[in-house]
Amino acid sequence: DRLKLTEHTLVILSSDNGPVLDDGYDDGANEQLGGHKPAGPLRAGKYSIFDGGTRVPFIVRWPDQVKSGVSPALVSQVDLAASFAALTGQKLNPVDVPDSENVLLALLGKSETGRASLVEYDQGKERALRAGDWKFVFPGTTSDGLGPWTGVKIPAPGFLFDLANDPGETNNLTKAHPE
């Protein structure tokens, strides 16, 4: 503001994924939760296959280019490389950033579409696939994080969630949508 750069400066605020409680410190974090939900309405936390462990906060501010609002676009921090390259007119070698997609129009609020799909979590047998508002969690037993989120069993055929209507991942839709 002082340098009069605010209107022409792109600022992105983001963070690591998911809250953690039982991280090995004897700090009473689990016991002192009370009614607090560290991941808000999202299920679980750090090291979890559920959105409480995989989603990250992501705020874009560029007053001269981006209007205020909330976007439904699916983006990943890994997309920043390809998106910044597009913004600055640079060429990237796909070998250097094979998973990065150019989602610049979504970042700038000019499109509500980001990437089509995203592997949210992948630790051997623990993985989920996100496509639009849909999320499929593959069957298996997850390590599922620290604290109260350990040892969640995902039975076959897996879990299917409609995140637009169920952000807390409470309603498994695999029987209603076997396809």
Side-chain angles (χ1 to χ4, degrees), residues 30-84:
N30 289 333
E31 297 78 17
Q32 295 178 32
L33 273 177
H36 179 66
K37 295 182 177 182
L42 304 179
R43 181 175 179 175
K46 184 165 288 300
Y47 308 113
S48 170
I49 201 165
F50 299 105
D51 269 19
T54 58
R55 281 198 187 194
V56 297
F58 200 90
I59 299 170
V60 175
R61 183 172 187 266
W62 192 1
D64 193 46
Q65 299 289 325
V66 181
K67 292 180 184 171
S68 295
V70 177
S71 173
L74 181 60
V75 300
S76 173
Q77 290 173 337
V78 73
D79 297 329
L80 293 176
S83 301
F84 289 164

Side-chain angles (χ1 to χ4, degrees), residues 22 29 34-35 63-64 81 86 91 102 105 107-108 112 141 164 166 174 177:
D22 184 6
D64 193 46
K91 297 280 187 207
N102 178 0
L105 293 178
L107 293 177
L108 298 180
E112 290 190 349
T141 301
D166 181 21
T174 54
H177 296 281

Side-chain angles (χ1 to χ4, degrees), residues 117-133:
S117 63
L118 175 68
V119 175
E120 280 196 342
Y121 189 84
D122 195 358
Q123 292 285 358
K125 65 184 177 186
E126 305 165 0
R127 63 190 184 280
L129 177 65
R130 176 86 187 268
D133 291 329

Side-chain angles (χ1 to χ4, degrees), residues 85-143:
L87 178 66
T88 59
Q90 302 299 308
K91 297 280 187 207
L92 286 179
N93 183 341
V95 174
D96 294 333
V97 286
D99 296 326
S100 189
E101 295 184 18
N102 178 0
V103 295
L104 182 60
L105 293 178
L107 293 177
L108 298 180
K110 297 180 184 345
S111 173
E112 290 190 349
T113 303
R115 55 173 44 240
S117 63
L118 175 68
V119 175
E120 280 196 342
Y121 189 84
D122 195 358
Q123 292 285 358
K125 65 184 177 186
E126 305 165 0
R127 63 190 184 280
L129 177 65
R130 176 86 187 268
D133 291 329
W134 292 93
K135 178 177 177 179
F136 180 72
V137 181
F138 291 82
T141 301
T142 73
S143 61

